[in-house]
Amino acid sequence: MKVIKTTKLLIVDDEQSVRNSLRLGLEPCHYEIQEASSGKEAVERATIFAPDLIILDLCLGDTDGLQVLKDIRKWSNASILILTVRDAESDKVQLLDAGADDYLTKPFSLSELMARLRVLERRTYAGEINQPIVKYNGFEINFVAQTVQIDCREIKITSTEFQLLRILVQAAGKVISAKALLAQVWGDAGLENPHYIRIYIGSLRKKIEKNPSLPTFIITEMSVGYRFNMGRLP
Amino acid sequence: MNRSGFSPKLRYLEHSGDLIRMIFGVALTTFLSVMLEPFIGYRAVGFIFLSSVLGMSFLVPILPAIGSAILSSLIWDYYFIPPKFTFHIEEKEDLFMLAAYFLSAIATGILTTQIARQKRLIADRELRTQILYKTAKAIGEEREQNKLVTIIENLISDGFGFKCKFHFAQYLGLKNNTLSFEAGKLSNRELESAEWSFKTGALVRDDRGRLTLPLKGHQSFIGIMLIEIKTLVLIKEDESLLLTISEQTAVAIERLNLEEKAKEASRLQESERLHQTLLNSISHEFRTPLTAILTATAALQQRGHGSDQVSTQLYQAITSAGGRLNRLVENLLDMSRLESGILILKKELHDVNDLIGVAAKGTSGTLCTNPIITKVAPNLPLIVIDFGLIVHVLANLILNASLYSPVGSEISVSAETNNDALIITVSDQGIGVPPEHLNRIFEKFYRVPGSRAGGTGLGLTIAQNIIELHGGKLIAKNKTPSGLCVSFSLPCNLGLEKMSGPL
């Protein structure tokens, strides 16, 4: 029997109908929910309520959601999921850089939102998996021995590929921006050559995915970055 | 332009009046002398002639003045000095008198002509200064290229009496040293001169007395100035004046062009910004209520309201209609973006596998329930594309395929290279498209009669637009025994095949 610990969730959206449906849809998942309808209120609520999770709509009446995100991120470790209608990719990268943990584009499905929240629930901001071995669906990575196995067969992997995979797996479920990956793996050279990441992700997929054209482990988040998909976390 | 503002240029205007004036003067003097001779004697008549020659040299240039001196002395000798009606001179005194009279006439003629020339030079200099001043003024004040050109053309024709015409090059090929003028505007000979003046940056004169001056700005070659001069003589000062005018005008025109370009660019930027803001706000206004509808539906279901079969079907109906509405608006907005021409491609190197993966993932689930199988040729090169847009194309094609495919049938996505192009093909096992409709399916809002509800009639049009923006082609073919096969090509540089990152 699993002990259910209530997670405090703050919903920030200027549309009451959206707030209501989100609250009513998420209540059965045992969240303790509070709402805020403006940027100012969001920052106040975040201080008083001290939520573990924040769902933040980017288009707020009074302030830019990005500013609210920055304000909250100054002191809070809460996981923040952004709701956006903007298609501009640069905005999404900017959001991740400013400390958002994930984002969803409206309209989204409730089940997708719940899945994302579950991933975020397991960690606080910047939290990583701290296990020597991670296994999922026939995939196994050993951070100590620096080996990767697919269906119990060890595969050959270069050190750069391993480094890339380690970053993705340790943040499993979370989007890592291509920029961050490039900077962590290649430094300045990576930032000047954004296609490096595509080449290496491509070759990693050829090694670990059953069909590199329809990947199930390393998911591309269009124009933003990559996410290591492990469904429910171990 | 006030023509009387310039005294007509003497140097290049006609001189035929001078000779007539001289002959007329001498004739008048002769007549006066015949009248007065009986009262004052033939020697005094000589002084009348001398005064007339002196007067003449002020009025006419040096050659007619000397002519009048010679003519006057001959007439005086012939008609007045005894013996009359012969050129013979009896008295030595008279001979000396004639010689002295002749010499003083010439000397005075030369001196006065010199003075007159000085005067004319000063006037010319003033005229040039005035032309230059008016050029500078026109360049400083005029904001329209056409008006400026007309003013300069008038300045030259008024100031010099030359016909002047500007010709602008269409292609500013400073780099590969080529010129291009509107066809038929310039003769071969004129083109040759233009070429030469463009290469040397100097004034070129052809054998018919026409001048070609280059219009060279700081950054580009703008064209030429063609001038028809009336004499074959062009003094140095005028040559350099014309060159100065052409240089100044070229720089001014170039500046005007740049100003125009800058204005155009900022106008474009502004309209692009407005358009983007409008599209974003439509997108926002539309998505917010849709999100509320879909979330509320999901919340109802989540809370276990109506878990019976009928309710589930109703929930599904709302969800799929919402999704369809979303796609329709998205497609309309995309169409508007594409048609406004403000779309700027963000091209980067991308992996073909990634492209297929993202498109397939985006359409999987409720939108497309058919299994997708992929056939991707090994070692495909990276391609330079706007990833988001091409994903959109591929997703549209997959969605289309699934709309017209039997439930559970496979949709195949394949990628291969053919010469210098990457070909991506989406094929289904559906009903295909009747041959007579095959070439119309890319038309806006066109839907094959009798096709299933769910499409917007925009997906293929958008796809075609995006592919054409990338320099590729989108084609649809029926498969045998059944099904439709839509493929698009993207130009790819095979040289990138071996491109790899650092280790």
Side-chain angles (χ1 to χ4, degrees):
Chain A
M1 175 89 189
K2 223 173 172 180
V3 178
I4 298 165
K5 175 184 161 273
T6 43
T7 307
K8 290 200 243 176
L9 171 66
L10 178 65
I11 299 174
V12 188
D13 198 314
D14 60 344
E15 280 288 318
Q16 185 166 7
S17 53
V18 175
R19 280 203 311 275
N20 278 347
S21 342
L22 281 177
R23 182 167 46 78
L24 293 169
L26 293 172
E27 253 172 13
C29 306
H30 310 285
Y31 288 112
E32 186 189 338
I33 298 175
Q34 286 207 6
E35 296 172 21
S37 61
S38 69
K40 197 165 154 269
E41 201 188 333
V43 179
E44 280 168 15
R45 284 259 158 253
T47 328
I48 301 160
F49 179 50
D52 305 305
L53 284 174
I54 300 173
I55 297 176
L56 175 65
D57 181 24
L58 208 56
C59 298
L60 293 169
D62 59 339
T63 31
D64 183 20
L66 184 64
Q67 193 51 50
V68 178
L69 169 68
K70 283 179 182 163
D71 286 348
I72 295 176
R73 192 44 94 211
K74 274 178 198 161
W75 54 269
S76 169
N77 264 345
S79 297
I80 301 176
L81 186 140
I82 301 286
L83 299 181
T84 168
V85 290
R86 292 191 200 169
D87 291 316
E89 287 77 22
S90 54
D91 288 351
K92 291 174 186 166
V93 176
Q94 211 183 348
L95 289 172
L96 293 179
D97 285 349
D101 294 272
D102 210 342
Y103 65 88
L104 271 177
T105 309
K106 284 182 181 178
F108 48 85
S109 82
L110 191 62
S111 52
E112 178 71 23
L113 174 68
M114 291 187 323
R116 300 284 177 94
L117 288 178
R118 273 199 296 277
V119 171
L120 295 180
E121 237 177 290
R122 307 287 168 136
R123 65 178 91 254
T124 47
Y125 174 66
E128 287 186 343
I129 293 174
N130 289 314
Q131 289 167 306
I133 296 172
V134 176
K135 287 184 195 175
Y136 170 69
N137 251 0
F139 167 84
E140 185 184 320
I141 182 165
N142 185 329
F143 295 122
V144 182
Q146 302 226 343
T147 55
V148 177
Q149 288 187 359
I150 296 294
D151 298 330
C152 303
R153 279 185 29 223
E154 191 176 328
I155 55 164
K156 278 186 187 163
I157 194 163
T158 69
S159 64
T160 308
E161 285 166 352
F162 187 84
Q163 207 183 337
L164 209 59
L165 198 56
R166 180 176 51 80
I167 298 169
L168 286 167
V169 173
Q170 287 186 334
K174 209 178 125 175
V175 198
I176 310 277
S177 75
K179 216 170 107 190
L181 282 173
L182 283 162
Q184 282 185 57
V185 180
W186 290 283
D188 287 344
L191 296 175
E192 284 159 23
N193 299 285
H195 64 277
Y196 285 0
I197 191 84
R198 291 165 200 142
I199 294 169
Y200 277 83
I201 292 285
S203 74
L204 254 180
R205 278 181 179 146
K206 277 179 190 149
K207 290 175 183 177
I208 65 171
E209 302 279 2
K210 288 199 176 62
N211 179 354
S213 299
L214 301 172
T216 55
F217 296 120
I218 303 174
I219 306 297
T220 303
E221 289 294 333
M222 193 158 77
S223 312
V224 179
Y226 301 89
R227 180 200 302 273
F228 194 85
N229 174 44
M230 293 218 296
R232 277 173 177 269
L233 280 173
Chain B
M1 163 81 29
N2 181 10
R3 270 178 177 270
S4 62
F6 293 114
S7 57
K9 290 270 340 189
L10 294 169
R11 272 167 300 133
Y12 299 108
L13 294 182
E14 284 139 65
H15 303 271
S16 55
D18 293 335
L19 195 65
I20 296 165
R21 228 175 291 160
M22 181 273 273
I23 290 169
F24 181 74
V26 173
L28 193 75
T29 315
T30 312
F31 176 73
L32 205 70
S33 304
V34 173
M35 292 287 111
L36 293 174
E37 202 246 340
F39 310 105
I40 55 172
Y42 75 90
R43 283 195 177 145
V45 166
F47 287 101
I48 296 177
F49 274 105
L50 186 58
S51 342
S52 142
V53 169
L54 291 180
M56 197 75 74
S57 49
F58 282 101
L59 297 172
V60 296
I62 184 154
L63 282 174
I66 290 170
S68 90
I70 294 168
L71 200 64
S72 301
S73 48
L74 286 178
I75 290 171
W76 186 47
D77 181 13
Y78 192 76
Y79 285 106
F80 298 99
I81 299 177
K84 283 184 177 179
F85 306 110
T86 59
F87 288 109
H88 181 71
I89 295 169
E90 272 277 311
E91 292 186 35
K92 278 179 189 161
E93 266 175 67
D94 289 340
L95 193 69
F96 277 109
M97 179 113 174
L98 181 69
Y101 160 63
F102 184 69
L103 281 176
S104 60
I106 287 178
T108 326
I110 290 172
L111 279 175
T112 50
T113 315
Q114 264 176 1
I115 292 167
R117 219 177 86 206
Q118 285 293 332
K119 212 173 87 191
R120 245 185 345 249
L121 280 178
I122 291 167
D124 282 357
R125 202 169 299 150
E126 198 190 310
L127 192 67
R128 283 193 204 99
T129 316
Q130 237 185 84
I131 294 175
L132 208 56
Y133 166 72
K134 290 191 175 173
T135 309
K137 194 166 160 239
I139 285 170
E141 286 172 358
E142 212 39 73
R143 280 284 157 273
E144 272 176 58
Q145 184 182 323
N146 287 347
K147 283 191 186 161
L148 178 65
V149 165
T150 317
I151 290 176
I152 303 290
E153 282 174 356
N154 283 340
L155 266 175
I156 289 171
S157 72
D158 290 344
F160 295 88
F162 296 156
K163 214 172 109 194
C164 166
K165 188 99 193 87
F166 281 77
H167 290 279
F168 296 103
Q170 284 177 319
Y171 176 61
L172 316 174
L174 264 189
K175 257 188 203 156
N176 28 4
N177 283 336
T178 49
L179 280 177
S180 157
F181 288 91
E182 207 177 317
K185 280 264 170 164
L186 293 179
S187 67
N188 281 347
R189 195 202 294 248
E190 284 167 339
L191 270 177
E192 233 169 74
S193 301
E195 203 97 23
W196 185 248
S197 81
F198 154 67
K199 268 183 199 141
T200 57
L203 178 148
V204 175
R205 187 196 322 227
D206 70 9
D207 48 10
R208 281 193 287 168
R210 264 186 318 202
L211 304 178
T212 306
L213 288 104
L215 291 170
K216 221 171 197 164
H218 289 308
Q219 292 158 17
S220 54
F221 183 79
I222 291 162
I224 53 161
M225 221 166 103
L226 264 186
I227 295 175
E228 301 203 5
I229 60 173
K230 287 189 177 164
T231 61
L232 287 172
V233 206
L234 184 72
I235 61 166
K236 199 105 191 112
E237 283 91 340
D238 286 343
E239 192 177 310
S240 61
L241 176 62
L242 286 173
L243 268 173
T244 309
I245 293 175
S246 76
E247 272 167 30
Q248 298 282 323
T249 313
V251 171
I253 290 174
E254 189 183 54
R255 195 196 64 218
L256 288 179
N257 285 345
L258 288 177
E259 271 174 20
E260 194 49 46
K261 266 187 206 155
K263 261 192 234 157
E264 187 60 36
S266 82
R267 266 202 297 273
L268 207 72
Q269 212 175 6
E270 183 60 14
S271 100
E272 187 186 324
R273 202 184 57 78
L274 270 173
H275 204 101
Q276 199 56 49
T277 311
L278 188 71
L279 291 181
N280 280 346
S281 103
I282 292 173
S283 185
H284 176 246
E285 288 313 313
F286 164 78
R287 275 170 166 168
T288 304
L290 194 66
T291 306
I293 294 172
L294 293 175
T295 317
T297 314
L300 269 176
Q301 209 172 1
Q302 180 73 23
R303 296 175 74 90
H305 289 279
S307 43
D308 56 301
Q309 213 189 339
V310 177
S311 304
T312 312
Q313 271 182 20
L314 290 175
Y315 291 139
Q316 265 171 14
I318 298 175
T319 312
S320 86
R324 198 175 138 197
L325 197 59
N326 188 35
R327 281 203 307 286
L328 174 65
V329 173
E330 286 308 299
N331 277 346
L332 285 171
L333 292 177
D334 281 341
M335 204 65 228
S336 156
R337 272 190 200 107
L338 284 166
E339 283 185 342
S340 70
I342 57 164
L343 199 77
I344 296 159
L345 298 185
K346 278 172 283 178
K347 283 187 173 181
E348 273 182 42
L349 280 169
H350 283 279
D351 182 6
V352 181
N353 277 309
D354 211 5
L355 183 72
I356 296 172
V358 173
K361 185 172 168 279
T363 52
S364 67
T366 49
L367 294 176
C368 165
T369 47
N370 301 67
I372 295 171
I373 55 161
T374 58
K375 282 177 233 156
V376 180
N379 301 321
L380 285 179
L382 292 181
I383 43 170
V384 182
I385 49 168
D386 185 312
F387 192 73
L389 290 179
I390 300 294
V391 161
H392 197 55
V393 169
L394 196 52
N396 263 342
L397 298 185
I398 293 173
L399 218 59
N400 234 26
S402 100
L403 261 171
Y404 301 102
S405 293
V407 178
S409 67
E410 281 174 349
I411 291 171
S412 127
V413 180
S414 65
E416 61 193 345
T417 48
N418 181 6
N419 296 327
D420 279 348
L422 175 83
I423 316 274
I424 297 184
T425 309
V426 177
S427 57
D428 58 45
Q429 296 167 13
I431 44 169
V433 172
E436 64 269 28
H437 296 290
L438 206 53
N439 52 359
R440 295 199 60 194
I441 56 172
F442 297 119
E443 285 173 25
K444 203 160 43 162
F445 297 115
Y446 186 80
R447 303 200 60 215
V448 177
S451 53
R452 262 163 63 179
T456 58
L458 281 172
L460 284 177
T461 318
I462 291 169
Q464 192 182 37
N465 269 312
I466 294 173
I467 295 300
E468 278 171 5
L469 274 179
H470 280 81
K473 256 188 177 166
L474 183 69
I475 41 173
K477 276 194 295 227
N478 275 316
K479 278 197 317 183
T480 44
S482 77
L484 187 71
C485 160
V486 185
S487 52
F488 61 87
S489 62
L490 289 169
C492 65
N493 185 353
L494 289 171
L496 294 170
E497 194 171 359
K498 292 180 186 74
M499 194 158 177
S500 64
L503 291 169

